[in-house]
Amino acid sequence: MDFDEKNKKNRDETLKIAKLLAAFKPTIICVEIVPQKNKELNIDYTSFINDKAYKTKFGGEVALIAYEVGKLAGVKKIYGIDEQETALYNYNIGTELDNQVDSITSKNYIKNIMKEFSSIEELSTLNKLKLFNQQETLQKFININADILTYSSTKGNFEGADEASKFYRRNLRIFSNLNQIPVTEQDRIFIISGAAHAAFLHEFIKRSPKYQLKEAAEYLN
């Protein structure tokens, strides 16, 4: 979402959100940073904890939410679980193919969903997060970022599906990065990421034999 980090009202609201989420009492925090930057990430986080005047190197939701939640909850380490090697995929495949079997479904869905999402900009950050973490909205994020591409193809081919599979692969790799973090049964893991990744992780974790899913929405009221 569009967000002015320098706006005091916005910063006050994110601190309020961080306090709500800290009630989850996480012991591990994961963010949308590649694991290769974990050392740099935790030097930054430790400096943030120890020096109130410190200017963080990582911005956005990492500093505004993850660091603040970690500080409030006493989390010792933050983990990056993003994956960028397979990040690129052609989301616009549906507008580039000639002679598509179905050139209508994807076009109309994207048009309608973008119109729906445009009204969200009027909401506060807290209310946006409440909406983004609802089951129905999470499913829409999976659809618009991946599944809708499967409607874009030429006869006998799989152009859209092949592009969608790249985004599935990236999210599966992100989940694999999560699964490589050493945990115990007592650990409580808080993950903050973009909405589409959150939607995929929600589905993976919901079916996992290892984790018990707790809805973020429970802590945003």
Side-chain angles (χ1 to χ4, degrees):
M1 64 180 77
D2 291 332
F3 188 85
D4 182 1
E5 295 181 34
K6 296 181 180 179
N7 183 288
K8 185 178 185 302
K9 181 180 178 182
N10 287 345
R11 295 186 70 88
D12 289 344
E13 186 177 18
T14 55
L15 181 57
K16 176 184 176 182
I17 292 168
K19 289 178 179 178
L20 291 173
L21 293 169
F24 173 62
K25 299 179 181 179
T27 59
I28 292 172
I29 293 178
C30 299
V31 296
E32 195 176 328
I33 300 292
V34 293
Q36 292 82 356
K37 291 187 176 181
N38 273 346
K39 182 177 180 180
E40 180 184 355
L41 176 67
N42 280 281
I43 290 173
D44 194 48
Y45 174 57
T46 300
S47 298
F48 166 81
I49 295 293
N50 295 331
D51 183 358
K52 291 182 179 181
Y54 177 74
K55 302 294 184 181
T56 59
K57 295 179 180 178
F58 291 88
E61 75 277 6
V62 175
L64 291 171
I65 300 294
Y67 285 7
E68 292 288 358
V69 170
K71 181 178 180 179
L72 291 166
V75 175
K76 303 299 182 184
K77 187 174 182 180
I78 294 181
Y79 293 86
I81 59 172
D82 192 18
E83 196 275 342
Q84 286 289 322
E85 184 180 338
T86 61
L88 296 179
Y89 75 114
N90 188 0
Y91 176 78
N92 295 313
I93 188 74
T95 65
E96 299 174 4
L97 287 175
D98 294 325
N99 302 315
Q100 293 186 57
V101 175
D102 177 357
S103 61
I104 302 299
T105 301
S106 176
K107 180 180 179 180
N108 286 345
Y109 181 81
I110 292 174
K111 179 182 177 181
N112 291 333
I113 206 74
M114 295 310 292
K115 182 179 180 181
E116 178 185 336
F117 282 171
S118 66
S119 64
I120 294 174
E121 291 304 317
E122 303 300 321
L123 300 176
S124 67
T125 303
L126 177 58
N127 285 330
K128 286 178 183 177
L129 291 177
K130 288 180 180 180
L131 179 62
F132 286 175
N133 282 279
Q134 290 178 0
Q135 292 283 331
E136 182 181 356
T137 312
L138 290 170
Q139 293 302 311
K140 289 176 182 177
F141 279 121
I142 291 177
N143 217 18
I144 196 169
N145 283 279
D147 292 5
I148 198 64
L149 300 185
T150 63
Y151 294 88
S152 300
S153 63
T154 56
K155 187 174 177 59
N157 298 304
F158 312 95
E159 295 93 341
D162 288 346
E163 292 303 314
S165 71
K166 295 176 184 178
F167 195 61
Y168 267 86
R169 178 172 62 176
R170 181 184 175 196
N171 284 285
L172 285 166
R173 287 188 171 198
I174 291 173
F175 188 49
S176 179
N177 280 335
L178 171 65
N179 293 333
Q180 293 176 42
I181 296 173
V183 297
T184 69
E185 291 184 359
Q186 287 72 45
D187 279 313
R188 299 170 66 85
I189 305 170
F190 169 57
I191 304 171
I192 180 166
S193 70
H197 299 313
F200 275 92
L201 289 170
H202 185 277
E203 292 300 306
F204 300 153
I205 292 171
K206 187 167 63 176
R207 298 192 294 268
S208 170
K210 181 177 181 179
Y211 307 107
Q212 177 184 355
L213 181 68
K214 294 290 288 184
E215 302 286 354
E218 293 180 28
Y219 296 88
L220 292 172
N221 295 312

